[in-house]
Coordinates of all heavy atoms in Angstrom, one line a residue:
P44 N 68.4 43.8 130.6 CA 67.3 43.7 131.5 C 65.9 43.4 130.8 O 64.8 43.4 131.6 CB 67.1 45.1 132.1 CG 67.5 45.9 130.9 CD 68.5 45.1 130.1
R47 N 63.6 46.5 124.9 CA 62.8 47.6 125.0 C 61.9 47.7 123.8 O 62.3 47.4 122.7 CB 63.6 49.0 125.2 CG 64.4 49.0 126.4 CD 65.2 50.2 126.6 NE 66.2 50.0 127.7 CZ 65.9 50.1 129.0 NH1 64.6 50.4 129.3 NH2 66.8 49.9 129.9
E74 N 81.1 27.8 138.1 CA 80.6 26.8 138.9 C 79.9 25.7 138.2 O 80.1 24.5 138.6 CB 79.6 27.5 139.9 CG 78.8 26.5 140.9 CD 77.8 27.2 141.6 OE1 77.7 28.5 141.8 OE2 76.8 26.5 142.2
A78 N 79.6 27.3 129.2 CA 79.9 28.6 128.7 C 78.5 29.2 128.3 O 77.4 28.6 128.2 CB 80.6 28.4 127.4
L89 N 82.0 53.9 123.1 CA 81.2 54.4 121.9 C 79.8 54.7 122.1 O 79.3 55.4 121.3 CB 81.3 53.2 120.9 CG 82.7 52.8 120.3 CD1 82.6 51.8 119.3 CD2 83.4 54.1 119.7
S99 N 83.2 32.0 129.1 CA 83.6 30.7 128.9 C 83.2 29.9 130.1 O 82.7 30.4 131.2 CB 85.2 30.7 128.9 OG 85.8 30.9 130.1
V173 N 54.0 39.1 114.0 CA 54.6 39.6 112.8 C 53.5 39.3 111.7 O 52.7 38.3 111.7 CB 55.9 39.0 112.4 CG1 57.0 39.5 113.4 CG2 55.9 37.4 112.5
V184 N 66.5 29.1 107.6 CA 66.9 28.0 106.8 C 67.9 28.6 105.7 O 69.0 28.0 105.5 CB 65.7 27.3 106.1 CG1 66.3 26.3 105.0 CG2 64.9 26.5 107.0
C185 N 67.5 29.7 105.2 CA 68.4 30.4 104.3 C 69.8 30.7 104.8 O 70.8 30.5 104.1 CB 67.8 31.6 103.7 SG 66.4 31.4 102.5
E189 N 72.7 28.8 102.8 CA 73.5 29.6 101.8 C 75.1 29.8 102.3 O 75.8 30.2 101.5 CB 72.9 31.0 101.7 CG 72.9 31.9 102.9 CD 71.9 33.0 103.0 OE1 71.0 33.0 102.0 OE2 71.8 33.9 103.8
S196 N 68.8 29.9 116.3 CA 68.0 31.1 116.6 C 67.3 30.9 117.9 O 66.6 29.9 118.1 CB 67.2 31.3 115.4 OG 66.4 32.5 115.6
V197 N 67.4 31.9 118.7 CA 66.9 31.7 120.2 C 65.9 32.8 120.4 O 66.2 34.0 120.6 CB 68.0 31.7 121.2 CG1 67.5 31.3 122.6 CG2 69.2 30.8 120.8
S214 N 73.0 22.0 105.8 CA 72.3 21.7 104.6 C 71.0 22.4 104.5 O 70.3 22.2 103.5 CB 72.2 20.2 104.4 OG 71.3 19.6 105.4
N236 N 82.4 19.4 112.0 CA 82.8 18.9 110.6 C 81.8 19.0 109.7 O 82.1 19.1 108.4 CB 83.5 17.6 110.8 CG 84.7 17.5 111.6 OD1 85.6 18.4 111.5 ND2 84.8 16.5 112.4

Side-chain angles (χ1 to χ4, degrees):
R47 301 182 192 278
E74 177 184 342
L89 296 179
S99 77
V173 288
V184 172
C185 289
E189 68 201 7
S196 190
V197 190
S214 65
N236 293 319

